[in-house]
Amino acid sequence: MAVYDYVDDQEVIRLTQELVRIPSVYRPQDPQANESKAAQYVYDYLKEMGLEVYIEEVVKGRPNVIGILDSGRPGKTILFEGHTDVVTEGDRDAWSYDPFGAVMEGNRMYGRGTNDTKGNLAAAIAAVHAIKRSNLQWHGKIILCVPCDEEGMMIGIKHFIKRGWANGVDGAIICEPEENQICITQKGAMRAVIRTNGKMAHGAMPLAGINPNTRMAQIICKLMELEKREKERVGEHKYLGWPSITPTIVLGPQKGEPQINVIPDHCYSTLDIRTIPGQDHDQLRVDMENILAELGSKDADFMASIEVIENRPWTETDLDDPIVRASIESYRTVTGKEPIFNGVPGATDGTFLHLAGIPIVTTGAGDRHIPHQIDEYIELDELIEASRIYAQTAMQFLNE
């Protein structure tokens, strides 16, 4: 028997249900709304499996779980990463199913996290359980990295790396919904805050004030020109598509009550910048600062600042890297088909593992357009297939 034959289909489904039924939406105003209960469930489950397990609180109520299965034989280390947090369910009345009910209908399970990414976390855990249960010979070590806060500022994976858990890892599988496609690249992300300052005045007498909103509009127009130049320079990526600079929030004023006949004294805007290979984040920062300097040189009343609050470079893993080769061969072995290659349109925890020097592949079950939507779901046969691919990939990689 091959190792993937030891995957217990019912374990994958049951574990997904149990995880989805533990709400782990982070809500700062609610001390009970965090990842702690889901993390404790995973910790206990891995302990029962016989793994070496650790739980570490990153901040209060938000722990990481680390599970280790050691073959006892020298060799490489592979890491599987799947986060415990999920995004808000939004308007519960808009759901056809209880968002935390993990209701099964036909070949689908519905609920927040079924797709992103508790289903794939369950698949990874079941894959490691299959390897342990198989008693097949293998070399090296498997780490299950189960962090908090992937949907936020990714403090969980940053803490994991800072604590030294990523040291010595030779390759990582990022368990995210990618329709079991093999994603060898992912977009980078920069998040920036722009502030323009002005002087309050009556809307009927604009010359008595300084309008920060018109200055913000000029900045945004210049940023759209920068986006156009970057698209012309780097082109459309085969897997990731186009880069983008997207204003997402514009508030004028940011604080206080806005009024239609009042010019505010400040304006606030945020940018969600997505990058592709060929773009340099440091250069983009300089380009944006130059826009402010150029506008300021032409306007004595122009007062603006830009601050990059998050910087996640794009990633790319070579097709010849052992973790990619193992993923390809495992997909062929399990499915009997040729894999489809793709890229991840957003950043993942893999961004920071990549920065730590670890080659990554992002793959897992689930329609890649379903995350964060009402009536989120996972196809059960695809989820079981993902677990089998994970198990086979670990054996392929570690015994290569």
Side-chain angles (χ1 to χ4, degrees):
M1 288 175 65
V3 70
Y4 68 84
D5 290 319
Y6 288 90
V7 170
D8 183 339
D9 299 357
Q10 291 307 308
E11 180 184 24
V12 178
I13 295 169
R14 184 177 65 253
L15 183 52
T16 300
Q17 279 189 309
E18 293 299 321
L19 288 170
V20 171
R21 287 169 178 167
I22 305 171
S24 51
V25 180
Y26 177 57
R27 294 186 169 102
Q29 71 279 8
D30 183 352
Q32 299 301 314
N34 52 45
E35 301 93 334
S36 57
K37 290 180 181 177
Q40 187 64 50
Y41 180 89
V42 171
Y43 175 87
D44 293 341
Y45 198 93
L46 298 183
K47 199 80 172 172
E48 183 68 24
M49 277 171 52
L51 270 60
E52 181 183 345
V53 195
Y54 303 87
I55 189 164
E56 297 183 342
E57 198 166 56
V58 179
V59 295
K60 186 172 177 58
R62 310 194 74 186
N64 288 344
V65 178
I66 302 99
I68 301 171
L69 181 62
D70 196 328
S71 69
R73 303 176 188 89
K76 294 186 290 187
T77 297
I78 189 171
L79 180 146
F80 290 92
E81 183 276 335
H83 55 91
T84 50
D85 61 319
V86 296
V87 298
T88 174
E89 70 277 24
D91 180 5
R92 281 184 176 238
D93 292 338
W95 284 71
S96 305
Y97 309 87
D98 179 351
F100 301 107
V103 174
M104 288 194 292
E105 189 171 292
N107 185 47
R108 290 180 176 179
M109 184 190 299
Y110 291 86
R112 181 60 83 222
T114 50
N115 181 294
D116 183 12
T117 198
K118 286 180 175 178
N120 288 306
L121 171 58
I125 292 171
V128 174
H129 203 177
I131 292 168
K132 188 175 189 300
R133 194 167 47 240
S134 73
N135 289 320
L136 296 171
Q137 190 173 77
W138 56 283
H139 298 80
K141 190 161 57 177
I142 302 169
I143 297 177
L144 280 166
C145 167
V146 189
C148 64
D149 192 48
E150 192 270 354
E151 301 290 1
M153 296 300 285
M154 301 186 177
I155 62 172
I157 197 67
K158 292 172 183 175
H159 185 271
F160 177 87
I161 294 166
K162 185 178 180 180
R163 291 279 294 161
W165 290 108
N167 297 348
V169 173
D170 298 286
I173 300 295
I174 312 305
C175 306
E176 293 282 352
E178 298 297 344
E179 301 166 31
N180 288 340
Q181 297 173 9
I182 297 174
C183 295
I184 55 174
T185 183
Q186 60 182 9
K187 278 187 174 179
M190 296 174 72
R191 289 176 179 164
V193 171
I194 304 173
R195 293 180 173 88
T196 53
N197 296 315
K199 179 184 175 185
M200 285 184 76
H202 197 297
M205 295 173 282
L207 295 180
I210 299 170
N211 196 332
N213 292 345
T214 55
R215 273 74 180 183
M216 186 65 77
Q218 291 172 35
I219 294 170
I220 290 173
C221 288
K222 288 289 185 180
L223 288 169
M224 295 304 94
E225 293 176 10
L226 175 60
E227 180 190 72
K228 183 174 183 290
R229 290 197 302 272
E230 285 295 291
K231 286 180 175 179
E232 291 171 350
R233 186 178 67 82
V234 298
E236 184 179 12
H237 191 273
K238 181 178 181 181
Y239 300 125
L240 299 175
W242 298 99
S244 59
I245 300 173
T246 306
T248 51
I249 300 171
V250 179
L251 294 174
Q254 179 187 1
K255 296 179 181 177
E257 186 178 356
Q259 196 164 322
I260 197 166
N261 61 343
V262 177
I263 294 172
D265 63 351
H266 55 272
C267 185
Y268 168 94
S269 183
T270 58
L271 300 176
D272 186 354
I273 303 164
R274 302 293 171 149
T275 60
I276 62 175
Q279 290 184 284
D280 182 275
H281 283 205
D282 289 336
Q283 183 59 51
L284 276 174
R285 187 197 303 256
V286 170
D287 291 341
M288 292 188 294
E289 289 171 348
N290 286 343
I291 286 172
L292 270 59
E294 177 194 348
L295 292 171
S297 69
K298 301 173 183 176
D299 179 358
D301 292 327
F302 186 90
M303 294 173 284
S305 65
I306 186 165
E307 178 188 7
V308 176
I309 60 171
E310 183 70 346
N311 189 1
R312 305 172 184 173
W314 49 265
T315 74
E316 197 168 39
T317 308
D318 195 275
L319 281 170
D320 287 331
D321 192 274
I323 194 67
V324 179
R325 291 203 309 266
S327 298
I328 293 169
E329 287 307 313
S330 298
Y331 184 90
R332 287 171 177 159
T333 300
V334 172
T335 70
K337 299 179 290 189
E338 286 299 305
I340 297 171
F341 296 99
N342 213 327
V344 182
T348 70
D349 280 336
T351 301
F352 294 100
L353 292 171
H354 169 82
L355 283 172
I358 300 170
I360 64 167
V361 166
T362 306
T363 189
D367 185 325
R368 68 207 313 258
H369 299 106
I370 292 300
H372 305 190
Q373 291 189 21
I374 299 294
D375 287 341
E376 177 183 343
Y377 68 87
I378 194 79
E379 301 278 356
L380 296 176
D381 55 357
E382 190 177 279
L383 183 61
I384 292 163
E385 180 181 84
S387 188
R388 292 173 178 171
I389 293 169
Y390 289 159
Q392 190 65 29
T393 299
M395 292 291 274
Q396 186 86 23
F397 181 77
L398 295 172
N399 285 340
E400 186 180 40

